Amino acid sequence: MLFKGHGDKEIIEKVMQKSESKTKIKGLKRIEVSGRVARECIDIAYGFFTPLQGFVGREDVESICNKMTLSDGTLWSIPIILDINEEEVLKKSIKEGDTILLTYSGNPLATLEVEEIFRYDKMKIAEAVLGTTDEKHPGVRMMIGLENTFLGGKVTLVSHPKFQSPFDRFWYTPRRLREIIAEKGWRRVVAHQTRNVPHSGHEWLMKGAWFSANGELPVEKLETGILVNCIIGPKRTGDYIDEAIVLCHQQLNEHGYFRKDVHMVSFALWDMRYAGPKEAIFHAILRTNLGCTHQMFGRDHAGVGSYYDPYDAHRIFDQIPENKLNIKPVRVLEWWYCPVCGEVTYSGLCGHIEQRQNFSGTLIRSMLKDKVKPTRLIFRPEVYDKVMECADLYGFGSPFCTEKYLANRQPVFTLEAL
Ligand SMILES: [Zn+2]
C-alpha cells in the first residue's frame, strides 16, 4: 500500500548494489547518452515513471499516440524514448537481446536490456502528444532533434547518482518521499509544480490548493501537506537559476509563510515538452508516484505560446475515467493583487474586476534584475534576500540563467567513475 504507484503498480526501484556493479558492467558495449536520457534513466530507475521499467517500445509508442495509454491499458500521455544514431547501432553491432552500458559525461550510468530496436515517425508523435508539428513549438523542436532510431528496454542504474549542493537537501526518491509522508501523518498531499522563484501569487495558489485538498478533513490535526515539486531540467537564458528555485521555496518554509508541518520542498528531473493538457496528465502520473493525492493545475499549465487554451489542461481531466488516475486535480484560476480589497485576491471571488492587478512575472523579473526590492505584499523580503544570495553564490551575479551560467554551472548530479 505504502509503495503503490500509478496503475496500482508497486513503485519501481532498480539500482545495483555497489559490490555487483563493477562485474555486471564489465565488457559491455557502451553508449554515451544525452542529458535528457540520463535524467530519464534516473527517473525510471527510482520509480518516478512507475510502472515503466525502461524506455518504451513501438507498441507502447503507438498506443500512447492513439489512445493515451500504454499497450496494457494504463493511462500514459508522453512516450519516454531512448534515441540513438543508426550508425552507432551498426558500428557497435547492437542487437536485440544485448545488455549495453549507458554512460553520461563518460561515467557509467545504467544498463539497458535492449528489447527492441525500432523506428517511428517523430512527427506523428509530435502531432499526437503536442497537437502540432509547428517547428516554433519547443516540444516539436525537441522531437526533430532526436536521432531516428529508438532503443526500448529495461533500465537499471549502476550506482546512485550524487546530487550536488544545494540539490542534495531536496532530493527524495519516490519511495523515500512516501516514507516521509507517512511519518508526517499526511493523509492528503497536494503537489505544487514549479519552475519559478515564488511571489505571493504562487504562495496563495498553494494555500488555496491546500484548502481544496484538505476539504472536509478535521482541522485541529493537520493531515494535509503541500509538496512543492520543482522541475529541474534543461534551462534557457532568462529562466530562474535552479538553485534559486529550490532555495527560495524553502525560504517560505523557514520563515513561517508555511508551517513546517504542512509544507516541504522537493524536485524532480524532467525535460519539459510544453505539451499543455497531455503534459498535465503526465505530471499528475508523476506526482501519483511521489505519493501525492492531489495536484494543483493553474492557468496554462505546461503550455507555451498560444498552442493551447489556458484551461485545456483543466478540461482534459474530465475525459479521464476515475479509476485510471489515483490523484485528483485541484483546478485553480488566478490570484492577483486588488487595491480595493488591499490584498492578494482570487479571481474567482473578488468582484473588483476593473481594478485588479495581475502578478506580472516580467515586472518582478525586471525589478530583480535592477536589484529593486518589491513590496512584501507581492514578494517576501526573505525570498528577495535569498534570490540575491543565489545570484552571487551560483549565478555569476544574476538570478537568471545567462550564457555564462549555462556554460559554467555546477552539474545537478555527478556519477561515480567506477
Ligand atoms: Zn477586490
Side-chain angles (χ1 to χ4, degrees), residues 284-314:
I285 291 169
L286 181 68
R287 274 48 186 251
T288 307
N289 288 329
L290 300 186
C292 299
T293 56
H294 294 71
Q295 175 165 352
M296 195 203 83
F297 292 96
R299 187 177 192 279
D300 206 22
H301 185 92
V304 61
S306 54
Y307 291 96
Y308 316 105
D309 177 87
Y311 293 105
D312 275 352
H314 284 192

Side-chain angles (χ1 to χ4, degrees), residues 338 341 350 352:
C338 171
C341 296
C350 166
H352 307 117

Side-chain angles (χ1 to χ4, degrees), residues 43 52 70 126-127 167 175 248 270 278 302 314 328 385 392 408:
D43 288 326
L52 289 197
L70 298 173
E127 181 66 52
F167 303 102
R175 282 181 171 251
C248 287
W270 174 245
K278 293 268 175 107
H314 284 192
K328 290 192 174 70
D385 293 344
D392 288 340
N408 300 294

Side-chain angles (χ1 to χ4, degrees), residues 314-332:
H314 284 192
R315 287 179 210 114
I316 194 166
F317 286 95
D318 295 330
Q319 302 166 24
I320 310 298
E322 212 163 84
N323 60 351
K324 291 282 184 190
L325 196 56
N326 298 329
I327 188 168
K328 290 192 174 70
V330 174
R331 293 176 268 201
V332 290

Side-chain angles (χ1 to χ4, degrees), residues 86 103 129 152 164 203 205 207 213 216 269 283 303 352 384 389 393 417:
E86 192 181 24
T103 62
V129 174
Q164 305 296 307
E203 193 183 308
L205 279 169
K207 289 175 175 172
E216 78 297 347
L269 301 173
H283 292 162
H352 307 117
Y384 176 83
E389 189 190 311
L393 268 176

